[in-house]
Amino acid sequence: MNGEKLIVKLADSKKRTKCKECPLHKLNHLREFASDELEFMDNFKTGELNSDKGSTVLVEGSHSAHLFTILSGWAFRYKTLEDGRRQILNYVMPGDLIGLQGSVAGEMDHSIEALTNVTLCVFERDRLMELFGKFPDLGYDLTWIAAREEQILDEHLLSVGRRNAIERIAYLLSFLYYKVSVLSSDKKEQINLPITQQHVADTLGLSIVHTNKTIKKLVDKKLVKWLDRGCTVENVAGLADIAAWEPDTKKIRPFL
Amino acid sequence: MNGEKLIVKLADSKKRTKCKECPLHKLNHLREFASDELEFMDNFKTGELNSDKGSTVLVEGSHSAHLFTILSGWAFRYKTLEDGRRQILNYVMPGDLIGLQGSVAGEMDHSIEALTNVTLCVFERDRLMELFGKFPDLGYDLTWIAAREEQILDEHLLSVGRRNAIERIAYLLSFLYYKVSVLSSDKKEQINLPITQQHVADTLGLSIVHTNKTIKKLVDKKLVKWLDRGCTVENVAGLADIAAWEPDTKKIRPFL
DNA sequence: CGCGGTGTTGACAGGCTTCAAGCTGTGTGG
DNA sequence: CCACACAGCTTGAAGCCTGTCAACACCGCG
């Protein structure tokens, strides 16, 4: 459990990037916008937000009036029990939407913490109905996004419920590898995951000690390397094999 | 794991209930439809389907062209690993929607099995875009439903990842209790859950033996009774207390 | 320099799984 | 009407996977 800072600052509004110039559009796994959609989004967007590494972006129980899309950086969603036991639910990175539950259910039932410095795109939830009314395609995309998140949670639940320690870790690392890999255009580049072993443990329902010893087995098999505060995947296929898991290869996905 | 029958039969079309006369509207936790919405839904609905207890309603990997709402009966969503280990993801009962993932992602990534005899309402997924176009409110509801399911999966993941055996079982039984309780108007009636200990084990990532021994502890504390193929909850508050869980008390929810 | 976050390792305990056997009730067929 | 099979529930024993406790090494940082 990290010492939780609540440092969230509004970015200089002058630095606000126009949706038209959104760097995420360069990524070829995200669907294209029609020009009127883009115009609406630019208006729907009310600003940007920066969160420092380690800070809490959204707190469980808050009544946030916002929706966010990650522009840069990593974060993770998590819940805790009264006595402090923490369960990481999923990881979010550029192009991912957060806060939909708060917008729809009225209250966040999980928190979000920044793994690295993070820049967020802020949307007004009050205008969500307008989005559904004027741009049915975007409304459909929102449902798509929610259903996709559900699919991922299904897979995580299968892992935590039925895979053993080494299978779980192999699953998580290959899952994250594939999730990040679509974000970098340079395929040669080594992919580094900015997580600690504590994060792995809290994602998979394991203790930190056992996680450490199990990761060591994967390192010995030369499937991954563990560096300071992070790991690099050396053999994804080997990992996916241990986990008996195959990634979703569908390319294009919607985003807001 | 049950011997899987694949008996799914189309109900006699004469028996089709009009959406206007849908028995689910009597339930006061479901939101009301506007009359034009109701008319559209009646048209959107293409028929009804009956599934026998124990049969598989939807199979992982299938490209179903349908969406379903449960009219009566219980079922559960699950995934399996190659070697047969099974993880139950969630339970569905009257008013719940299934098949959204198949509609949105193109392919089901989990299966659904009937716990009791089940009657389903069938919708054409081809007309989903029409729904979003003509009835933004219904589109919003769909997103709401998907986000709500996500919320439940978050809670399950927390349980399986971080709660111990007795907490997990206490959580699951009180969760199911609250989920069913809104369905019966008669509050005095004892609530019976038509699941076996094997289902409990497969939902919570436990072995059947340990599940049995842990349930015995709850029975000894007079929190539940276990009957033949099912259990009755005697003290929900006691269960929720063990699990350190509080149910979502929000009343009204959308449905299709 | 000292401190806190992170990773590493060993010893030990215990929660949970596996194996195995038996019990009960229900349904089916001769 | 009884034999038999089968599904679900119980119970005991043995052992492993995983958690807890404890100590230490490393490193960046105030």
Side-chain angles (χ1 to χ4, degrees):
Chain A
M1 324 292 151
N2 285 320
E4 309 192 10
K5 306 173 244 173
L6 254 164
I7 306 164
V8 170
K9 47 187 176 185
L10 267 168
D12 187 339
S13 58
K14 277 175 284 188
K15 285 186 185 164
R16 183 181 184 289
T17 42
K18 293 269 178 196
C19 289
K20 274 179 243 172
E21 295 145 16
C22 181
L24 295 175
H25 284 133
K26 288 186 208 139
L27 299 172
N28 49 21
H29 69 290
L30 297 178
R31 99 156 168 75
E32 300 272 350
F33 281 124
S35 64
D36 56 343
E37 286 172 342
L38 210 55
E39 192 177 341
F40 173 79
M41 286 306 295
D42 214 18
N43 204 262
F44 185 33
K45 173 174 174 177
T46 62
E48 280 174 21
L49 203 71
N50 287 322
S51 277
D52 289 337
K53 165 174 158 179
S55 66
T56 303
V57 182
L58 279 172
V59 196
E60 185 172 347
S62 67
H63 298 256
S64 170
H66 302 292
L67 264 176
F68 306 90
T69 289
I70 311 273
L71 269 182
S72 71
W74 284 45
F76 61 89
R77 304 196 299 117
Y78 69 96
K79 283 173 82 82
T80 52
L81 290 173
E82 291 169 350
D83 62 5
R85 282 175 282 179
R86 180 174 77 169
Q87 177 65 38
I88 295 181
L89 305 163
N90 200 8
Y91 295 82
V92 289
M93 41 195 88
D96 289 337
L97 187 77
I98 60 179
L100 187 58
Q101 289 188 16
S103 295
V104 146
E107 183 177 308
M108 292 292 291
D109 80 327
H110 60 261
S111 307
I112 295 181
E113 184 177 320
L115 265 174
T116 64
N117 289 344
V118 163
T119 307
L120 303 161
C121 219
V122 185
F123 305 108
E124 283 297 331
R125 94 158 163 203
D126 288 347
R127 302 191 55 199
L128 207 51
M129 273 316 302
E130 192 186 334
L131 180 150
F132 276 91
K134 290 187 181 162
F135 297 92
D137 284 2
L138 294 181
Y140 180 87
D141 284 353
L142 262 183
T143 303
W144 194 103
I145 287 168
R148 171 69 185 142
E149 180 74 12
E150 194 186 318
Q151 219 173 57
I152 290 168
L153 288 172
D154 284 351
E155 191 72 45
H156 286 191
L157 199 47
L158 173 63
S159 283
V160 177
R162 287 304 181 201
R163 285 192 242 249
N164 63 26
I166 197 164
E167 291 169 343
R168 284 185 220 183
I169 296 177
Y171 160 71
L172 176 63
L173 297 181
S174 48
F175 166 78
L176 287 175
Y177 176 92
Y178 281 112
K179 189 169 159 86
V180 195
S181 65
V182 294
L183 294 176
S184 81
S185 43
D186 184 2
K187 296 297 172 195
K188 301 283 162 55
E189 195 185 345
Q190 269 210 333
I191 285 179
N192 192 279
L193 312 175
I195 55 176
T196 68
Q197 299 190 351
Q198 183 71 64
H199 293 120
V200 176
D202 284 348
T203 309
L204 301 174
L206 297 168
S207 73
I208 173 75
V209 175
H210 194 62
T211 299
N212 177 279
K213 287 170 181 169
T214 310
I215 286 177
K216 193 173 188 312
K217 289 182 190 169
L218 293 176
V219 172
D220 289 345
K221 290 186 183 186
K222 296 203 190 302
L223 298 176
V224 299
K225 262 185 194 154
W226 206 272
L227 315 171
D228 191 40
R229 205 181 198 283
C231 89
T232 56
V233 173
E234 305 216 282
N235 181 353
V236 218
L239 287 177
D241 194 46
I242 288 181
W245 177 71
E246 33 192 335
D248 189 352
T249 51
K250 279 185 280 301
K251 273 279 160 62
I252 306 296
R253 66 163 218 239
F255 90 117
L256 289 191
Chain B
M1 327 288 150
N2 286 320
E4 307 191 15
K5 305 175 245 172
L6 252 165
I7 305 165
V8 171
K9 47 186 174 184
L10 267 168
D12 187 339
S13 57
K14 277 174 283 184
K15 286 185 188 166
R16 183 181 185 287
T17 43
K18 293 270 175 195
C19 288
K20 274 179 247 175
E21 296 146 15
C22 181
L24 296 176
H25 284 133
K26 289 185 210 141
L27 300 172
N28 49 21
H29 70 288
L30 297 178
R31 100 155 168 75
E32 300 271 349
F33 281 125
S35 65
D36 57 341
E37 287 174 343
L38 210 55
E39 192 178 342
F40 173 79
M41 287 306 295
D42 214 19
N43 205 261
F44 186 34
K45 174 174 174 176
T46 62
E48 282 176 21
L49 204 70
N50 287 322
S51 277
D52 288 336
K53 166 175 159 178
S55 67
T56 303
V57 181
L58 279 172
V59 195
E60 186 171 346
S62 67
H63 298 257
S64 170
H66 303 291
L67 266 176
F68 306 89
T69 289
I70 311 273
L71 268 184
S72 72
W74 284 44
F76 61 89
R77 305 195 299 118
Y78 68 96
K79 287 175 76 84
T80 52
L81 290 173
E82 292 170 348
D83 62 6
R85 280 175 282 180
R86 180 175 77 169
Q87 178 65 38
I88 295 181
L89 306 164
N90 200 6
Y91 294 83
V92 289
M93 39 195 89
D96 289 338
L97 187 77
I98 60 179
L100 187 59
Q101 289 189 13
S103 293
V104 145
E107 184 178 309
M108 292 293 291
D109 81 326
H110 60 260
S111 306
I112 295 181
E113 184 177 319
L115 264 174
T116 64
N117 289 344
V118 163
T119 307
L120 303 160
C121 220
V122 184
F123 305 108
E124 283 298 331
R125 92 155 166 210
D126 288 347
R127 302 190 54 199
L128 208 51
M129 274 316 302
E130 191 186 334
L131 179 151
F132 276 92
K134 290 186 182 164
F135 297 92
D137 284 2
L138 294 180
Y140 180 86
D141 284 353
L142 262 183
T143 302
W144 193 102
I145 288 169
R148 172 68 185 145
E149 179 74 11
E150 195 185 317
Q151 219 173 54
I152 290 169
L153 288 173
D154 285 351
E155 190 72 47
H156 286 192
L157 199 48
L158 173 63
S159 283
V160 177
R162 286 306 180 201
R163 283 192 243 250
N164 64 25
I166 197 165
E167 292 168 343
R168 283 185 220 183
I169 296 177
Y171 159 71
L172 177 62
L173 297 183
S174 49
F175 166 77
L176 287 175
Y177 176 93
Y178 282 112
K179 190 168 158 91
V180 196
S181 65
V182 293
L183 295 176
S184 80
S185 44
D186 182 3
K187 297 296 172 195
K188 301 283 162 55
E189 197 186 343
Q190 270 213 329
I191 286 179
N192 191 278
L193 312 175
I195 54 175
T196 68
Q197 299 191 351
Q198 182 70 65
H199 293 120
V200 175
D202 285 349
T203 308
L204 301 174
L206 296 169
S207 71
I208 175 75
V209 174
H210 195 61
T211 299
N212 178 279
K213 287 170 182 169
T214 310
I215 285 177
K216 195 172 187 314
K217 289 182 190 170
L218 294 175
V219 172
D220 288 345
K221 292 186 182 185
K222 298 204 188 300
L223 298 176
V224 299
K225 264 186 191 153
W226 205 273
L227 314 169
D228 190 41
R229 203 177 200 286
C231 87
T232 56
V233 174
E234 305 216 283
N235 181 351
V236 219
L239 289 177
D241 194 47
I242 289 182
W245 178 71
E246 34 193 335
D248 189 352
T249 51
K250 280 185 279 302
K251 274 278 162 56
I252 305 296
R253 65 164 222 239
F255 90 117
L256 290 190

